[in-house]
Amino acid sequence: MPFYVSPEQSMKDKADYARKGIARGRSAVVLQYDGGILLVADNMSRTLHKISELYDRVAFAAVGRGNEFENLRLGGVRYADAHGYAYDRRDVTGRMLANAYAQTLGTVFSESNKPWEVEIVVAEVGDDADSDQIYRITFDGSVADEKGLVGMGGSAEAVTNALKERFDPAAPLSEALSAAMYALSHEQHERRELDAANLEVAVLERAREHRKFRRIRGARLERLIEEARAADGAPASGAGGASAGDGAEDAENGA
């Protein structure tokens, strides 16, 4: 005989399941700086990106189950490309993509037995800081319009609180990265030393022509981390090979 489960209990069970799945992964932060929007993820994987470009001025960051947020990323890229081709590239906005993701995740959460264990951010850089947009979309399709910064993942509360301690929307990139690293090092309420090997970093650069997304990696990331540590007053760890491999910092223009 099948057991009856109330809709309220079913929704609660699915929400608990999704939160536990997200909590097993590392966190990510998105924040404004003086030149645009910085996206930083604690990511040990060399094969799966948590941060990606969606369209000209729009980027995507995610935490949780990799195959699920990768499906969301690809769907967002296709949706944006189709919309920009059919209408105008200026019609593709972060708000539009955030609402599309909210509909997808809300439908999966309400109609599927298993919710997706993901949490995502859609960020759009504007012509000035006041027009920047950062949207956080949770596993149940809820959308929050964040102001200036957002932390997400299993330790979102601890990471966000630590980020607020050092957040300055007018800070240069090195200081913004220092704030992001400080916040991510507080994951699970434990201080950890972060370096280029386990950081994924990208920016939406306001001054960049046409496509604003640029990955920061290789020698450029090593130097930026050293600058961030210097701004934080921490001793430099010596970025070996910082003079070679500058080509690794080139923009990744394909999503």
Side-chain angles (χ1 to χ4, degrees), residues 147 149 158-168 179 182-183:
K147 302 301 181 184
L149 64 90
V159 168
T160 300
N161 289 338
L163 185 59
K164 287 178 179 178
E165 293 178 18
R166 301 196 176 187
F167 172 66
D168 178 3
Y182 175 79

Side-chain angles (χ1 to χ4, degrees), residues 188-234:
Q188 304 297 342
H189 304 283
E190 297 178 359
R191 291 299 303 273
R192 298 190 302 117
E193 185 70 20
L194 297 170
D195 55 32
N198 56 355
L199 282 178
E200 184 179 356
V201 181
V203 291
L204 287 169
E205 285 186 328
R206 203 182 319 280
R208 188 178 178 87
E209 291 295 327
H210 188 38
R211 300 177 78 169
K212 309 293 186 178
F213 183 86
R214 179 168 70 96
R215 290 195 183 279
I216 300 177
R217 51 191 175 184
R220 171 59 177 151
L221 180 56
E222 293 280 2
R223 288 195 299 270
L224 195 59
I225 289 174
E226 291 303 309
E227 292 173 15
R229 287 174 175 155
D232 195 30

Side-chain angles (χ1 to χ4, degrees), residues 2 14 17 37 43 52 71 82 84 97 102 107-108 135-136 158 173-174 179 187 201-202 214 224 233 236 249 252 254:
K14 288 195 284 188
Y17 178 89
I37 298 176
N43 185 12
S52 295
N71 284 335
L97 287 162
T107 299
V108 171
Y135 300 100
R136 179 182 181 181
L173 181 57
S174 59
E187 191 165 24
V201 181
R214 179 168 70 96
L224 195 59
E249 68 182 81
E252 177 175 297

Side-chain angles (χ1 to χ4, degrees), residues 35-56:
I37 298 176
L38 171 66
L39 305 95
V40 185
D42 189 348
N43 185 12
M44 296 291 291
S45 173
R46 299 297 92 189
T47 59
L48 183 67
H49 289 308
K50 290 184 176 181
I51 297 169
S52 295
E53 179 187 30
L54 287 180
Y55 211 61
D56 295 348

Side-chain angles (χ1 to χ4, degrees), residues 84-127:
Y85 179 78
Y87 299 98
D88 189 276
R89 298 188 75 88
R90 292 170 295 181
D91 292 331
V92 179
T93 65
R95 183 189 300 272
M96 179 196 79
L97 287 162
N99 287 333
Y101 280 133
Q103 292 174 15
T104 298
L105 288 171
T107 299
V108 171
F109 183 77
S110 60
E111 296 183 1
S112 173
N113 289 329
K114 178 198 171 301
W116 282 9
E117 302 160 57
V118 295
E119 190 171 348
I120 64 176
V121 163
V122 174
E124 178 183 2
V125 67
D127 294 329

